[in-house]
PDB file of all heavy atoms in Angstrom:
ATOM      1  N   VAL A  25    -142.599 -49.069 -81.132  1.00 43.00           N
ATOM      2  CA  VAL A  25    -141.268 -48.633 -80.712  1.00 43.00           C
ATOM      3  C   VAL A  25    -140.599 -49.641 -79.807  1.00 43.00           C
ATOM      4  O   VAL A  25    -139.435 -49.980 -79.958  1.00 43.00           O
ATOM      5  CB  VAL A  25    -141.366 -47.260 -80.025  1.00 43.00           C
ATOM      6  CG1 VAL A  25    -140.064 -46.934 -79.314  1.00 43.00           C
ATOM      7  CG2 VAL A  25    -141.645 -46.199 -81.060  1.00 43.00           C
ATOM      8  N   PRO A  94    -107.649  24.537 -66.653  1.00 92.00           N
ATOM      9  CA  PRO A  94    -106.461  25.404 -66.707  1.00 92.00           C
ATOM     10  C   PRO A  94    -106.618  26.617 -65.786  1.00 92.00           C
ATOM     11  O   PRO A  94    -107.736  27.073 -65.507  1.00 92.00           O
ATOM     12  CB  PRO A  94    -106.391  25.822 -68.178  1.00 92.00           C
ATOM     13  CG  PRO A  94    -107.163  24.759 -68.916  1.00 92.00           C
ATOM     14  CD  PRO A  94    -108.246  24.334 -67.981  1.00 92.00           C
ATOM     15  N   ARG A 157    -138.198  23.485 -68.485  1.00 90.00           N
ATOM     16  CA  ARG A 157    -138.374  22.129 -68.980  1.00 90.00           C
ATOM     17  C   ARG A 157    -138.221  22.130 -70.498  1.00 90.00           C
ATOM     18  O   ARG A 157    -138.595  23.087 -71.175  1.00 90.00           O
ATOM     19  CB  ARG A 157    -139.731  21.570 -68.568  1.00 90.00           C
ATOM     20  CG  ARG A 157    -140.928  22.304 -69.126  1.00 90.00           C
ATOM     21  CD  ARG A 157    -142.217  21.735 -68.596  1.00 90.00           C
ATOM     22  NE  ARG A 157    -143.381  22.418 -69.148  1.00 90.00           N
ATOM     23  CZ  ARG A 157    -144.622  22.096 -68.862  1.00 90.00           C
ATOM     24  NH1 ARG A 157    -144.877  21.120 -68.005  1.00 90.00           N
ATOM     25  NH2 ARG A 157    -145.632  22.760 -69.407  1.00 90.00           N
TER      26      ARG A 157
END
Side-chain angles (χ1 to χ4, degrees):
V25 167
R157 63 184 181 179

